C-alpha cells in the first residue's frame, strides 16, 4: 500500500498543456451558464480592452483540477479540493496555449492533506493565473 506521504512529496511537480479553442469556450459557457458576450462573441470581445474573446477564468481552475486529479493522483488516489486561492494575472484568449503547472509545497504528516502552488502560463511565457491549492488525498479504492 502506498501512503500519501510516499506518493506526494515536497517539490513534486506535474503539468498539462491545452490550447484554448473557441469551441471549448462556447461549450464551457453553455455548461456554466456564463454566456456573457466577452466570452461568446468575437465582435464584442474585439471592442474590449482585451482585443478579442476571453476564456472563462474558471476554465483555468478546471485545468488545475485536471493536473491534480489526473496527472498527480493517477489511478491510486482521488484528489478533493479543500481550498483554492487564485489570482488572474492576464486573460487567456482564444488560441492561447496554456500550460498549467502544480508543485507540492507541503505534505501533512498527520492527515492526507497536501498544499501546492499552481500557475498557468501562456505560449509567450506570461502567467495568466497564480494560486495555491490545498487538497485532501483519498486512496482509491478505499482501503487499498
Amino acid at each position: 500500500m502506498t501512503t500519501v506521504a510516499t506518493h506526494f512529496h515536497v517539490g513534486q511537480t506535474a503539468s498539462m498543456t491545452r490550447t484554448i479553442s473557441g469551441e471549448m469556450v462556447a461549450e464551457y459557457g453553455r455548461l456554466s451558464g456564463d454566456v456573457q458576450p466577452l466570452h461568446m462573441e468575437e465582435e464584442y470581445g474585439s471592442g474590449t480592452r482585451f482585443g478579442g474573446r476571453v476564456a472563462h477564468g474558471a476554465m483555468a481552475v478546471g485545468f488545475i483540477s485536471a493536473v491534480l486529479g489526473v496527472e498527480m493522483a493517477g489511478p491510486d488516489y482521488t484528489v478533493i479540493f479543500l481550498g483554492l486561492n487564485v489570482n488572474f494575472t492576464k486573460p487567456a484568449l482564444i488560441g492561447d496555449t496554456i500550460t498549467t503547472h502544480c508543485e507540492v509545497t507541503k505534505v501533512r504528516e498527520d492527515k492526507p492533506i497536501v498544499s501546492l502552488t499552481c500557475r498557468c502560463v501562456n505560449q509567450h511565457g506570461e502567467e495568466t493565473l497564480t494560486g495555491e491549492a490545498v487538497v485532501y488525498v483519498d486512496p482509491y479504492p478505499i482501503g487499498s
Side-chain angles (χ1 to χ4, degrees), residues 7-8 12-14 66-74 102-104 116:
H7 184 78
F8 291 87
Q12 177 182 356
T13 63
V67 170
L68 299 178
V70 177
E71 300 298 325
M72 293 192 109
C102 296
E103 181 176 354
V104 176
L116 309 99

Side-chain angles (χ1 to χ4, degrees), residues 76-87:
D76 296 328
Y77 293 94
T78 300
V79 172
I80 303 163
F81 273 117
L82 296 177
L84 180 65
N85 181 21
V86 298
N87 295 302

Side-chain angles (χ1 to χ4, degrees), residues 97-118:
T97 298
I98 303 295
T99 302
T100 304
H101 304 276
C102 296
E103 181 176 354
V104 176
T105 57
K106 181 179 179 184
V107 178
R108 285 188 46 177
E109 297 294 326
D110 61 329
K111 294 182 181 180
I113 295 176
V114 176
S115 299
L116 309 99
T117 58
C118 305

Side-chain angles (χ1 to χ4, degrees), residues 1 3 11 42 51 59 61 63 69 81 110 125 131:
M1 174 172 95
T3 65
E42 186 58 43
M59 285 179 64
V61 171
F63 295 163
F81 273 117
D110 61 329

Side-chain angles (χ1 to χ4, degrees), residues 60-61 64 84-90 101 116-121 126-133:
V61 171
I64 292 170
L84 180 65
N85 181 21
V86 298
N87 295 302
F88 298 101
T89 55
K90 185 172 184 66
H101 304 276
L116 309 99
T117 58
C118 305
R119 65 190 192 108
C120 294
V121 179
E126 302 164 326
E127 286 186 337
T128 61
L129 175 150
T130 61
E132 298 174 352

